[in-house]
Amino acid sequence: MSSNLIRQQFLDFFASKGHQIVPSAPIVVKNDPTLMFTNAGMNQFKDLFLGNEVPKYKRVADTQKCLRVSGKHNDLEEVGVDTYHHTMFEMLGNWSFGDYFKTEAIEWAWELLTKVYGLSPDRLYVTVFEGDASENLAFDTDAKNEWKKWIAEDRILLGNKKDNFWEMGDTGPCGPCSEIHVDLRTDAERKAVDARTLVNNDHPQVIEIWNLVFMEFNRKADGSLENLPAKHVDTGMGFERLCRAIEGKASNYDTDVFMPLIRLVEEKTGKAYGKEEKTDIAMRVLADHIRTISFAILDGQLPSNNGAGYVIRRILRRAVRYYFTFLDRKEPLLYEMIPTLAEGFAGIFPEMKAKLAFIENVVREEELGFLRTLENGLNLIKSEKSIHTNSEKILAGSFAFKLYDECGFPIDLTNLILADDGIQVDLPEFNRLLEEQKSRSRKATTQSSGDWIIVRPGDACEFVGYDTLEAEVQITRMRSVKQKNKDLIQLVFDRTPFYAESGGQVGDTGFIQSANEKIRIIDTQKENNLIIHIAEKFPENPEAAFVAHVDQVKRRDTTNNHSATHLM
Ligand code: SER
């Protein structure tokens, strides 16, 4: 069965159970300060779970583009090295917003896997939440009883809070979950070792494919759990893993989701997949990372030097490093993979084909830039090696750190290049400098925040500061933050004349005033696309109408392309 058919069957199945099929949200998150990228299908439905929004449909299903490369769910280092983690993956999901709960969620998951997709029940195992005394959470007896209708009791395993209590991040909707695992080993292996000892134990052939979450709680910023206004279902199935299970392949990369990309890399580099481990890892890294890079750019996140853009730049550079080092490729390669990628997704995300030239250009330019850096780094290493290597063939850690810090040259690459001449880096010194740098940046950014208090609906904030130094504004949300040991307040408005520059510069300070109070704005910052105003105290009446006054406007920079309006 082809992957496109597998995806379609999922959607058709849930449509037949009364679900509305909805589009994937963009992979880049614009209006949630707790997230950079969509890391789960439920992100776009967070406000429905929390009761802040009324659902248009009580049952929906979709395939969601997800990225797990930062924050709580981060798989980056495993990607390519193993055969079943990805930076970007599609999550097939069905949702109930205060409608059906465990009975139907479990019955339908079983029906789809065993009847529609024809997976053998003999290879399936499920887990249920065993409870957690420290949080006063009970054993999920209901889920266990529901599963007993479908699967032998000895295939229902218990899982702890780490595996069977799903949370979106440090705060937000959460609840106990029940996972479905599939055993893809050969019969001989299955006979030799009981799969139950391998579930949730990082075995590459005994893998989780579907997670059914029963949303009941909201995790607050102080760590406590409060009940949600209603109970919901949030399921997420790893599409690439499902394809592998149905197509009976030994690795996600052997499915028709990734194979066309790997074949293309073989063709472009003249190397074969499946012959040598290092080459294979590099090809998997490329086949995986090009998806993340391309979808992020498509959804509006260009590679850059900070925030979400930096994450994308690092992923792109990781891919370049792999082809440069292990596939002997010294010129751009990733951008040449994009037409094949777009073709594979033409049926479900046709927008990639439409923006092909733009994405290719961005990627190629990035590749060229980093390849130049790599080359410069190589030259620096060459001269440093001949002058400053001591008799024990040890190169100073400070030099390796400089390469890393200033040229983006990762330590493993430096090591690899030096290894040819039997030279080693003074690693303890390198690590000490790295640790010092990390601790400096931790100190600089240490910040903890309370929950947002929503004053009125809406996330968009119009920047009106090019035309005026004064504007009527309304507060849409606020929260307390601890920044560099100071207790401060963050305020978000519907529109603002304050210019979001960090560091309290002209243009981003002033005050807001209502009939009864005046509040000083000491800084304005942009964080994940929210324009945030820093104040020293909460307004007594946040719902009042305020007039904002900017202290003194920054001279308008006519050389840049800022449009007069920043909409989020
Ligand atoms: N939210 C759950 C997950 O991401 C199920 O969709 O695994």
Side-chain angles (χ1 to χ4, degrees), residues 232-507:
H232 315 277
V233 171
D234 151 23
T235 89
M237 174 142 64
F239 172 63
E240 299 77 11
R241 292 184 183 186
L242 174 70
C243 291
R244 166 178 162 195
I246 295 173
E247 292 180 19
K249 306 286 188 189
S251 144
N252 289 12
Y253 293 89
D254 292 342
T255 64
D256 72 339
V257 181
F258 292 96
M259 248 315 136
L261 293 167
I262 290 185
R263 291 279 172 255
L264 186 82
V265 174
E266 285 184 309
E267 192 189 299
K268 300 272 173 201
T269 61
K271 306 235 180 241
Y273 185 68
K275 294 266 185 308
E276 208 194 317
E277 203 189 353
K278 281 185 174 166
T279 317
D280 290 357
I281 292 175
M283 290 195 184
R284 290 197 290 265
V285 164
L286 263 55
D288 175 275
H289 289 12
I290 190 60
R291 294 161 33 109
T292 295
I293 299 161
S294 305
F295 275 109
I297 296 171
L298 176 68
D299 287 354
Q301 185 56 66
L302 296 182
S304 73
N305 260 347
N306 49 46
Y310 188 53
V311 175
I312 299 305
R313 177 163 281 171
R314 272 183 40 217
I315 293 171
L316 189 144
R317 290 180 169 187
R318 185 172 189 255
V320 173
R321 193 155 56 80
Y322 268 92
Y323 70 62
F324 185 89
T325 314
F326 300 111
L327 301 177
D328 281 338
R329 173 86 175 197
K330 309 295 179 215
E331 54 197 65
L333 169 60
L334 291 168
Y335 81 101
E336 294 192 328
M337 301 170 73
I338 303 170
T340 307
L341 181 73
E343 197 54 51
F345 281 115
I348 184 84
F349 304 123
E351 56 276 18
M352 179 164 289
K353 246 180 145 169
K355 287 244 181 97
L356 198 59
F358 172 72
I359 305 171
E360 281 174 331
N361 276 340
V362 173
V363 172
R364 186 167 170 276
E365 285 304 312
E366 278 288 313
E367 288 187 84
L368 280 170
F370 188 53
L371 283 165
R372 272 196 295 274
T373 305
L374 282 179
E375 214 175 287
N376 291 343
L378 280 176
N379 289 335
L380 281 177
I381 291 179
K382 222 170 167 183
S383 49
E384 182 77 14
K385 213 166 59 179
S386 53
I387 313 167
H388 287 124
T389 307
N390 66 20
S391 56
E392 279 159 4
K393 295 209 149 197
I394 305 279
L395 193 82
S398 54
F399 173 72
F401 183 74
K402 183 175 161 219
L403 273 181
Y404 163 82
D405 196 32
E406 291 171 19
C407 310
F409 224 70
I411 185 69
D412 46 351
L413 184 63
T414 309
N415 271 330
L416 207 87
I417 294 162
L418 292 171
D420 288 345
D421 297 318
I423 300 172
Q424 285 181 333
V425 173
D426 181 349
L427 267 186
E429 189 191 1
F430 174 86
N431 286 332
R432 185 177 54 74
L433 292 168
L434 187 66
E435 221 14 76
E436 277 174 20
Q437 188 202 46
K438 279 189 186 154
S439 128
R440 272 196 306 275
S441 69
R442 264 197 302 272
K443 274 194 199 125
T445 57
T446 302
Q447 169 169 331
S448 63
S449 46
D451 291 313
W452 283 112
I453 301 163
I454 305 294
V455 181
R456 12 176 107 71
D459 277 324
C461 177
E462 191 188 357
F463 176 69
V464 293
Y466 287 127
D467 307 321
T468 176
L469 299 185
E470 253 184 48
E472 285 174 18
V473 303
Q474 296 194 324
I475 297 172
T476 52
R477 57 163 89 180
M478 56 189 194
R479 67 175 175 184
S480 59
V481 285
K482 210 175 185 68
Q483 234 168 352
K484 295 182 192 154
N485 271 337
K486 267 199 193 145
D487 289 312
L488 296 168
I489 306 303
Q490 294 187 332
L491 304 173
V492 178
F493 308 150
D494 59 340
R495 58 208 292 270
T496 185
F498 293 103
Y499 187 75
E501 282 278 351
S502 53
Q505 303 176 19
V506 271

Side-chain angles (χ1 to χ4, degrees), residues 8 27 45 54 56 61 182 194 199 210 217 223 226 242 305 324 326 368 370 375 392 444 453 479-480 549:
Q8 195 53 49
I27 211 165
F45 305 121
V54 182
K56 192 161 163 207
V182 62
D194 187 340
V199 166
W210 204 347
F217 305 104
E226 72 177 12
L242 174 70
N305 260 347
F324 185 89
F326 300 111
L368 280 170
F370 188 53
E375 214 175 287
E392 279 159 4
I453 301 163
R479 67 175 175 184
S480 59
H549 301 262

Side-chain angles (χ1 to χ4, degrees), residues 39-43 49 66 68 73 89 91-95 166-168 177 179 208 210-213 215 234-237:
N39 67 1
M42 53 73 66
N43 295 164
F49 290 136
C66 295
R68 292 200 168 168
H73 299 281
F89 62 100
M91 189 180 271
L92 301 170
N94 58 290
W95 282 271
W166 197 87
E167 309 202 35
M168 173 178 156
C177 62
E179 299 168 346
E208 177 196 340
W210 204 347
N211 187 12
L212 317 181
V213 184
M215 291 288 187
D234 151 23
T235 89
M237 174 142 64

Side-chain angles (χ1 to χ4, degrees), residues 504-525:
Q505 303 176 19
V506 271
D508 63 359
T509 62
F511 59 92
I512 57 169
Q513 188 160 30
S514 69
N516 301 318
E517 58 182 330
K518 181 171 170 179
I519 294 177
R520 182 110 206 113
I521 301 298
I522 56 173
D523 193 7
T524 305
Q525 302 166 354

